[in-house]
Amino acid sequence: MRQKAGGTAEMEKQYLHIVEKVASGSIAEELEIEAGDILLEINGNKIEDVFDYQYFTQDEYIEVLIRKRSGEEWLLEIDKEFDEDLGITFENGLMDAYRSCRNKCIFCFIDQMPKGMRETLYFKDDDSRLSFLQGNYVTLTNMSDEDINRIIRYHLSPINISFQTTNPELRCKMLNNRFAGEALQKAWRLAEAGITMNGQIVLCKGVNDGAELERSIQDLTKLLPTLESVSVVPVGLSKYREGLFPLEPFTKEDAQAVLNCIHQWQNKLFPEYGLHFIHASDEWYILAQEELPKAERYDGYLQLENGVGMLRLFMDEFQEAFAQAASRVVLPRKLSIATGELAYPFIQEMALQVMERFPQITIYVYPIRNNFFGEQITVSGLLTGQDLIAQLTGKMLGECVLLPQNVLKSDERIFLDDITVDMLEKALQVPVDIVKSSGQDFVNAVLGEFAGENLEEIE
């Protein structure tokens, strides 16, 4: 049911929640909410940010006050399922200003970027709302007691936390924030309230590894099971570190020691909790030259975005999709794949399997060295357009080049250095296809347009 109410009073800026788009078939579309409309209140409550919006829209009956672009105000009475989404996307996803980081972490990658890149790349967020919405990690130093109270009151989870260490003095040193040690107590408050959390430790050689890593894992196990997982990732070191805290890359032997520590804790914790809890990112296994764990060791892939189990999941998805493609009709084609040095051996092995089964397909796989950030950076997500152009020009590329989706800005066809996909295609003189992250998408992209049809259907 919809009722209309008069009123055109100017809103305070902090409550200006402008609708960007409305999902097709949604409650909002049925009620004729449109892009450009402004959300004023829900159940008579002003909405401060997305925490308030998520909380007040979960009930089965809600009253939503909307200001139309004409200035007319509509009070909408909505009956729906509990937790059913209204289908509204706002121009500002947080529905509030973004909170920047107050720390000066010794390992911060943003501090290691060259000058002259687009401004948004230099913004350091430390916003608990982004942790809830997008899975970003927060240090807790930017959260007030009221922020913690709101998370507990609204029971918003999961919240992802960058621990780095549980040694308070060392954490203050690593984050260059004198409140960083005491901020850890906020995680204990969240755990006591039953808020699901995931954790992260960025490991720095000679700083928070070795005995300090053991201590951190020991301390964090006390937060089980509300703290479901903790990932250990090696610090990323670019070539732009002049004047920054001296950090060294890990060696093969270092990686083996880290994995030994993690595996011992996994073996200890799994029988009691049914979780392996502490996880090593894929880089450790490659650096240590050890086999990646099987899928069941990743507890349902809780930390994929942190590079934990990404390669294992991708390989398993590939094998399943590739087995199903055995009877597919595939036209002859030549193509190329460009990827980061980290994933190259795995992509190359998959390409060899494809060519062995389908000899009419030729695949060239090229590992792209990261000259832009430095050779210590090996992940595909930090590749730039200029490195791709420099290292693919003159190579055998076939009819197209395949690139993983994570090389691009999430909502645009643009690389970190502002080179666009169109510019790359013009430079290489071949089409560039962006491949989504699953193994199925990879198989479809490699086999081409007839990959979805089987032999019987063609005949």
Side-chain angles (χ1 to χ4, degrees), residues 96-342:
D96 190 20
Y98 288 76
R99 297 178 185 174
S100 61
C101 185
R102 299 174 182 174
N103 308 310
K104 288 287 292 181
C105 299
I106 63 173
F107 50 83
C108 181
F109 194 80
I110 294 178
D111 290 339
Q112 303 179 63
M113 296 201 306
K115 297 179 180 179
M117 303 177 73
R118 61 178 176 270
E119 185 177 349
T120 54
L121 293 175
Y122 299 100
F123 180 77
K124 305 177 184 180
D125 79 77
D126 193 15
D127 201 313
S128 58
R129 297 163 298 182
L130 287 176
S131 180
F132 170 67
L133 284 176
Q134 302 175 6
N136 295 19
Y137 282 78
V138 295
T139 65
L140 302 176
T141 61
N142 214 19
M143 295 178 67
S144 66
D145 287 339
E146 176 56 26
D147 291 328
I148 297 294
N149 291 338
R150 292 178 74 213
I151 291 173
I152 293 172
R153 181 167 65 248
Y154 296 165
H155 205 81
L156 297 172
S157 62
I159 298 296
N160 298 327
I161 300 172
S162 285
F163 288 105
Q164 318 319 355
T165 176
T166 57
N167 179 337
E169 293 182 2
L170 179 58
R171 195 168 195 259
C172 290
K173 176 183 176 182
M174 292 187 70
L175 274 60
N176 275 304
N177 186 325
R178 62 192 178 95
F179 301 109
E182 63 188 61
L184 287 169
Q185 296 304 315
K186 297 170 185 175
W188 267 256
R189 281 192 60 198
L190 294 173
E192 289 170 359
I195 302 299
T196 301
M197 297 175 286
N198 294 292
Q200 169 186 261
I201 294 174
V202 177
L203 211 61
C204 301
K205 185 173 180 177
V207 180
N208 61 337
D209 56 349
E212 290 291 349
L213 177 60
E214 287 277 1
R215 169 183 173 157
S216 295
I217 298 174
Q218 172 77 57
D219 289 344
L220 292 174
T221 59
K222 299 171 185 175
L223 295 176
L224 274 161
T226 52
L227 179 61
E228 292 185 320
S229 68
V230 177
S231 60
V232 180
V233 301
V235 61
L237 301 176
S238 84
K239 64 183 181 182
Y240 301 100
R241 290 198 55 83
E242 184 177 354
L244 300 179
F245 187 93
L247 291 174
E248 299 178 8
F250 288 96
T251 65
K252 175 183 176 180
E253 291 71 27
D254 295 329
Q256 290 172 336
V258 169
L259 291 177
N260 183 57
C261 170
I262 288 173
H263 292 160
Q264 287 184 3
W265 275 103
Q266 288 181 335
N267 294 336
K268 178 181 179 180
L269 294 170
F270 185 77
E272 181 176 355
Y273 295 98
L275 291 171
H276 294 89
F277 182 64
I278 186 77
H279 301 275
S281 63
D282 295 349
E283 297 103 311
W284 294 112
Y285 291 96
I286 295 171
L287 181 57
Q289 297 180 3
E290 294 187 12
E291 185 177 349
L292 292 170
K294 299 299 182 184
E296 56 268 20
R297 299 282 292 192
Y298 289 105
D299 297 341
Y301 297 106
L302 295 170
Q303 300 229 13
L304 269 181
E305 295 302 316
N306 238 2
V308 177
M310 189 174 291
L311 286 172
R312 167 54 64 196
L313 178 61
F314 184 76
M315 289 190 298
D316 287 352
E317 289 175 339
F318 166 81
Q319 292 299 339
E320 181 179 355
F322 192 54
Q324 295 174 352
S327 61
R328 306 291 178 175
V329 171
V330 177
L331 296 177
R333 66 192 308 233
K334 293 182 179 180
L335 66 146
S336 54
I337 302 172
T339 186
E341 293 180 313
L342 184 73

Side-chain angles (χ1 to χ4, degrees), residues 19-156:
V19 175
E20 181 177 55
K21 61 182 178 180
V22 173
S24 176
S26 66
I27 293 173
E29 183 184 54
E30 180 181 347
L31 294 173
E32 300 180 19
I33 296 175
E34 302 170 299
D37 292 350
I38 299 173
L39 170 67
L40 301 183
E41 297 177 357
I42 299 177
N43 296 341
N45 298 287
K46 297 287 188 182
I47 304 302
E48 179 181 333
D49 60 17
V50 69
F51 278 6
D52 290 338
Y53 177 77
Q54 294 283 355
Y55 178 73
F56 287 116
T57 57
Q58 66 182 351
D59 291 338
E60 295 177 353
Y61 173 81
I62 59 175
E63 295 183 355
V64 177
L65 183 61
I66 293 286
R67 176 175 296 153
K68 302 297 289 181
R69 286 173 292 182
S70 64
E72 186 177 23
E73 291 185 3
W74 289 7
L75 181 64
L76 307 175
E77 299 176 353
I78 301 173
D79 290 299
K80 63 181 188 63
E81 299 294 327
F82 183 79
D83 258 357
E84 184 179 1
D85 185 57
L86 298 184
I88 299 174
T89 300
F90 294 94
E91 289 185 358
N92 181 339
L94 279 183
M95 307 176 74
D96 190 20
Y98 288 76
R99 297 178 185 174
S100 61
C101 185
R102 299 174 182 174
N103 308 310
K104 288 287 292 181
C105 299
I106 63 173
F107 50 83
C108 181
F109 194 80
I110 294 178
D111 290 339
Q112 303 179 63
M113 296 201 306
K115 297 179 180 179
M117 303 177 73
R118 61 178 176 270
E119 185 177 349
T120 54
L121 293 175
Y122 299 100
F123 180 77
K124 305 177 184 180
D125 79 77
D126 193 15
D127 201 313
S128 58
R129 297 163 298 182
L130 287 176
S131 180
F132 170 67
L133 284 176
Q134 302 175 6
N136 295 19
Y137 282 78
V138 295
T139 65
L140 302 176
T141 61
N142 214 19
M143 295 178 67
S144 66
D145 287 339
E146 176 56 26
D147 291 328
I148 297 294
N149 291 338
R150 292 178 74 213
I151 291 173
I152 293 172
R153 181 167 65 248
Y154 296 165
H155 205 81
L156 297 172

